[in-house]
């Protein structure tokens, strides 16, 4: 653990507890045993997904897309029809995690924003490489926009969001839909500590390369698994930080200070502003990548959700905005 003085005290305690648990049950090498590494992440994260906000309805639905059927987790905080929708894409380097590991966070957003949350359990890499997950996420959004009423949802009020690799997929899906389905107007983008550029040599990558949870080596592995072809990693839908960002909806950026990906968010903020996109941002001091999974354990995780909930209500035009 490096530079302890920089850490939020709750974040430090939580991280040490997670490291102690991992020391008793080490993760298999993902390059040799990706299934075992996935099972490990589920064991580590599922206890964090317990508790939290109760929903009026929680169920899994399978939605048809051009990329094939996609199982999604649906949370509805109240039973009324016509709820706006946050399509939230879970992180995990495109390689692991699931709607189960993120379930408490999904319910927290639904409660804070008074909206339905739909989370795609998209196909993971390296078995399903770029652009499979992207097309599944975009397909889920397309289906909800066209057929959301069949689920009691308002398909005209959709925000796309995600954390880490999920933020990458949410932004890339927005770019894809902007160009292929311009009549589908997203209401916003909620991007939490996203990876937006396959270049792993920024200043924050150097500063937080080791000792702060997510490492530079692990991010390089994720990119190699998600987009094995180096040329594809440089494309605007794999690395949306390289895309033309015009005509996107308003964006909320939440950034972890002690994170190799901090500069990805700083750079995307400036590029969005240069493209004329409205951006709100919040840098959370003293926390590391993935801090949102610590709902109920780290105060800044709850602060992030409450702030996002207010922003979502404003985007949706719902009471409490």
């Amino acid at each position: 653990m490096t530079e302890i003085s920089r850490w939020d005290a709750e974040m430090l305690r939580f991280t040490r507890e997670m490291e102690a648990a991992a020391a008793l049950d080490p993760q298999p090498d993902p390059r040799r045993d990706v299934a075992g590494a996935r099972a490990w992440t589920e064991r580590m994260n599922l206890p964090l997904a317990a508790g939290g906000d109760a929903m009026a309805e929680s169920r899994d639905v399978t939605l048809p897309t051009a990329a094939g059927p996609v199982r999604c987790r649906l949370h509805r905080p109240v039973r009324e029809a016509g709820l706006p929708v946050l399509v939230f894409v879970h992180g995990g380097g495109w390689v692991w995690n699931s709607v189960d590991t993120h379930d408490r966070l999904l319910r927290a957003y639904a409660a804070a924003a008074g909206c339905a949350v739909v989370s795609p359990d998209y196909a993971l890499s390296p078995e399903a490489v770029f652009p499979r997950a992207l097309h599944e996420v975009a397909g889920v959004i397309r289906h909800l926009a066209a057929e959301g009423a069949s689920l009691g949802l308002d398909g005209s009020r959709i925000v796309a969001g995600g954390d880490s690799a999920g933020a990458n997929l949410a932004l890339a899906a927005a770019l894809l839909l902007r160009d292929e389905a311009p009549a589908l107007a997203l209401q916003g983008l909620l991007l939490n500590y996203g990876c937006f550029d396959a270049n792993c040599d920024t200043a924050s990558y150097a500063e937080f390369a080791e000792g702060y949870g997510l490492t530079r080596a692990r991010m390089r592995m994720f990119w190699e698994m998600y987009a094995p072809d180096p040329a594809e990693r440089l494309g605007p839908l794999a690395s949306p930080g390289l895309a033309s960002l015009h005509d996107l909806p308003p964006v909320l950026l939440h950034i972890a200070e002690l994170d190799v990906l901090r500069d990805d968010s700083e750079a995307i903020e400036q590029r969005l502003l240069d493209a004329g996109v409205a951006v709100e941002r919040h840098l959370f001091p003293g926390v590391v990548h993935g801090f949102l999974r610590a709902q109920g354990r780290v105060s800044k995780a709850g602060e992030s959700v409450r702030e996002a909930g207010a922003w979502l209500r404003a985007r949706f035009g719902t009471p409490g905005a």
Side-chain angles (χ1 to χ4, degrees):
M1 195 76 68
T2 54
E3 294 193 59
I4 297 299
S5 63
R6 300 186 66 178
W7 286 67
D8 172 86
E10 292 177 327
M11 185 83 261
L12 179 61
R13 182 168 58 251
F14 173 81
T15 301
R16 282 178 163 165
E17 290 172 359
M18 295 297 291
E19 288 176 343
L24 297 174
D25 179 15
Q27 185 183 36
D29 181 350
R31 293 187 184 275
R32 297 182 179 180
D33 182 9
V34 70
R38 282 189 193 129
W40 181 90
T41 64
E42 295 286 313
R43 290 197 300 274
M44 291 294 110
N45 284 287
L46 283 178
L48 305 177
D53 296 284
M55 296 283 104
E57 180 186 23
S58 296
R59 63 188 175 104
D60 288 352
V61 296
T62 298
L63 302 182
T65 77
V70 180
R71 183 175 75 96
C72 299
R73 179 68 44 82
L74 167 63
H75 288 300
R76 190 192 304 269
V78 294
R79 292 199 175 275
E80 67 185 60
L83 287 178
V85 188
L86 169 63
V87 176
F88 192 87
V89 190
H90 72 78
W94 308 282
V95 173
W96 49 59
N97 287 340
S98 66
V99 296
D100 294 324
T101 62
H102 281 60
D103 193 71
R104 180 167 179 166
L105 178 60
L106 302 177
R107 288 182 283 113
Y109 279 129
C115 70
V117 173
V118 173
S119 185
D121 215 18
Y122 57 89
L124 298 174
S125 298
E127 297 89 340
V129 299
F130 172 83
R132 171 73 179 276
L134 168 60
H135 286 298
E136 289 186 352
V137 170
V140 165
I141 296 171
R142 281 180 185 263
H143 178 81
L144 292 172
E147 304 291 342
S150 66
L151 295 171
L153 307 176
D154 183 352
S156 69
R157 291 188 292 165
I158 299 175
V159 166
D163 66 312
S164 192
N168 169 289
L169 290 169
L171 178 53
L175 292 167
L176 184 67
L177 294 169
R178 177 200 65 189
D179 295 340
E180 294 187 355
L184 195 166
L186 292 172
Q187 301 298 296
L189 291 168
L190 169 59
L191 306 178
N192 299 308
Y193 41 78
C195 44
F196 303 122
D197 192 330
N199 173 24
C200 299
D201 294 318
T202 65
S204 63
Y205 267 107
E207 185 175 5
F208 305 112
E210 295 183 352
Y212 296 89
L214 180 63
T215 66
R216 175 164 57 188
R218 180 56 57 93
M219 271 309 307
R220 285 174 171 162
M221 181 199 76
F222 285 148
W223 276 109
E224 289 166 5
M225 288 185 168
Y226 177 56
D229 181 349
E232 284 196 327
R233 288 178 222 150
L234 301 177
L237 294 179
S239 288
L242 305 178
S244 176
L245 302 176
H246 62 89
D247 296 324
L248 290 176
V251 174
L252 177 63
L253 284 171
H254 278 187
I255 309 166
E257 180 193 15
L258 311 179
D259 183 4
V260 293
L261 294 178
R262 187 185 68 195
D263 286 355
D264 277 39
S265 289
E266 301 283 2
I268 204 76
E269 176 189 15
Q270 189 56 57
R271 296 212 58 236
L272 287 163
L273 291 171
D274 291 345
V277 178
V279 181
E280 295 181 38
R281 58 101 72 171
H282 187 160
L283 175 69
F284 289 83
V287 299
V288 298
H289 189 85
F291 77 96
L292 283 170
R293 67 180 175 160
Q295 295 295 314
R297 305 281 296 279
V298 174
S299 298
K300 287 187 172 74
E303 178 187 350
S304 172
V305 167
R306 288 190 295 274
E307 183 179 289
W311 181 85
L312 286 164
R313 287 180 182 273
R315 297 307 313 147
F316 291 137
T318 54

